[in-house]
Amino acid sequence: QELLDSSVESDSELSMFIAGMFQGSMSLVNDVAKEFQSALGFPIEKCISSGEASELLEEGGGFTVIAERILSAYDAGDFPDGSSDDHAAEWKAWVKILGKETKRKGKKLFHPIRLALTGKMSGPDVGQVVKLLHMTEGVAPDRVSLKERIDTLREVAAKS
């Protein structure tokens, strides 16, 4: 199965980004395809219903607070959506501000962000996933877009 449709060249910026994003988590080239497809998905409801994220969903677990901040930033146009050439720096600065505003750091900050934006408890760097979503717009038909993730996050947050 091809990662992307034939319009993407193997030496393109996107293919180089994908290779760099997953190089530490693969031992075979076939692993890239699995990791890539996984990064494009958003199984938040499955993750929550499995109980895997129960600690984050408990009072004080951080998911609700972080989800609300992500939704607010997205609605205000302040969320680093991956469209910038300097996304990595913008993402890092945004996460730093989010940590200060919520008085969270380390796992207490990063795990709720990961769950809210990837729907998973582990995986590649969340900022890179956001960038990947932007880069694969119109190229990867099975991807769950940032807007779709935000819409689902809004529904999940309303329930928690």
Side-chain angles (χ1 to χ4, degrees):
Q1 176 184 352
E2 291 184 40
L3 290 180
L4 304 167
D5 71 24
S6 60
S7 66
V8 177
E9 299 294 324
S10 64
D11 63 346
S12 72
E13 180 183 356
L14 175 57
S15 62
M16 302 305 264
F17 182 82
I18 292 167
M21 184 174 175
F22 298 114
Q23 81 182 46
S25 63
M26 63 175 194
S27 56
L28 302 172
V29 173
N30 289 342
D31 294 341
V32 174
K34 291 175 192 167
E35 292 290 329
F36 175 73
Q37 291 298 347
S38 178
L40 296 180
F42 187 60
I44 191 168
E45 290 158 336
K46 181 180 177 185
C47 184
I48 289 171
S49 66
S50 75
E52 187 180 359
S54 60
E55 186 177 312
L56 297 180
L57 298 169
E58 294 171 0
E59 189 173 330
F63 175 76
T64 302
V65 170
I66 297 298
E68 288 170 358
R69 296 293 178 116
I70 290 169
L71 294 170
S72 177
Y74 183 85
D75 292 344
D78 296 331
F79 184 80
D81 65 0
S83 61
S84 168
D85 288 339
D86 199 18
H87 173 73
E90 289 176 7
W91 175 258
K92 185 176 179 180
W94 184 82
V95 169
K96 185 176 182 179
I97 290 168
L98 180 63
K100 286 182 179 183
E101 289 177 351
T102 60
K103 297 179 177 29
R104 294 180 157 275
K105 58 184 178 179
K107 291 191 308 186
K108 292 184 180 198
L109 174 62
F110 294 109
H111 284 184
I113 291 172
R114 176 177 299 288
L115 178 61
L117 294 172
T118 70
K120 302 176 190 122
M121 295 296 292
S122 63
D125 178 81
V126 178
Q128 287 187 323
V129 172
V130 172
K131 180 70 174 179
L132 181 66
L133 294 174
H134 174 74
M135 294 177 81
T136 56
E137 189 172 329
V139 179
D142 293 338
R143 88 190 220 302
V144 179
S145 71
L146 181 60
K147 183 187 179 321
E148 292 169 312
R149 289 167 192 247
I150 293 294
D151 291 344
T152 302
L153 179 60
R154 203 175 305 280
E155 292 172 14
V156 169
K159 295 177 193 174
S160 56

